[in-house]
Amino acid sequence: MTYTGEVTVGGAPDTREAGDLVITKIAVGPMANNAYLLRCALTGEQVLIDAADEAGRLLELVGDAGLARVITTHRHADHWQALAEVVAATGAETVAGEDDADELPVEVDVRVRTGARVRVGSCELEVIEVVGHTPGSIVLVYDDPDGVTHLFTGDSLFPGGVGRTWSPDDFMRLCGEVESKLFARFDDDTWFYPGHGDDSTLGAERPNLSDWRARGW
């Protein structure tokens, strides 16, 4: 079946192949958070982005192949409700943005900033700090050498706008960071996977950037 990225809490996950990286998306918890299991097709190594909730479902998704690490996109509690249980069950290494790491319920093994690289077997994720939703929010970039770029944006970017902010200054900073670090760098066919809801592409959202700024949220 063709990947759509449309998942619901309690429903089936959705999976796509992006070169040597297999991406599985699942929705969990009362806030319908997205979690993403990444698997290297060559080595079998697996990495989870946001152990948001429903540890049992996430561990079932991981299966017997094990989990090398869990990356948390930002400090908000709806994105780490299952983190401690998943780490305890798998022994996975924990990764988070430097400026959000102290707010997580587990010790963070690897604190990252812009330019850091996180391995998924033979594949590699680049870290970009995108500040505004939280001080330490990160976006993860997978550049498929034979296809398009994939961005895991947490709550920094959604179809229809940037993530929630709590002051005008934070909003303007987040808009600026999303525009300069994501839209200015990556092509229109770049696919992004947010922390809640459906996926989109930068090309679908690019015409609306000025409208987002004007409406103030």
Side-chain angles (χ1 to χ4, degrees), residues 94-155:
T94 53
V95 182
E98 175 69 49
D99 292 333
D100 275 8
D102 288 340
E103 304 300 320
L104 301 187
V106 299
E107 186 70 25
V108 174
D109 300 313
V110 181
R111 295 165 177 248
V112 293
R113 291 199 178 275
T114 294
R117 299 293 196 273
V118 182
R119 302 298 303 181
V120 187
S122 66
C123 303
E124 187 175 71
L125 304 176
E126 176 191 351
V127 175
I128 302 176
E129 294 169 280
V130 177
V131 179
H133 183 67
T134 69
S137 290
I138 57 174
V139 169
L140 301 155
V141 184
Y142 171 63
D143 187 4
D144 179 358
D146 299 315
V148 303
T149 301
H150 303 259
L151 306 178
F152 300 89
T153 57
D155 284 0

Side-chain angles (χ1 to χ4, degrees), residues 7 11-15 24-27 57 61:
V7 293
D14 200 3
T15 298
T24 299
K25 178 180 180 178
I26 189 171
R57 291 193 71 207
L61 191 67

Side-chain angles (χ1 to χ4, degrees), residues 164-185:
R164 182 181 178 187
T165 55
W166 286 263
S167 75
D169 287 345
D170 284 342
F171 171 75
M172 293 305 294
R173 180 166 188 184
L174 181 55
C175 281
E177 298 239 323
V178 164
E179 290 177 11
S180 64
K181 295 181 178 181
L182 304 183
F183 284 93
R185 176 178 168 186

Side-chain angles (χ1 to χ4, degrees), residues 51 80-89 105-106:
W80 50 252
Q81 288 298 302
L83 179 58
E85 187 172 345
V86 167
V87 169
V106 299

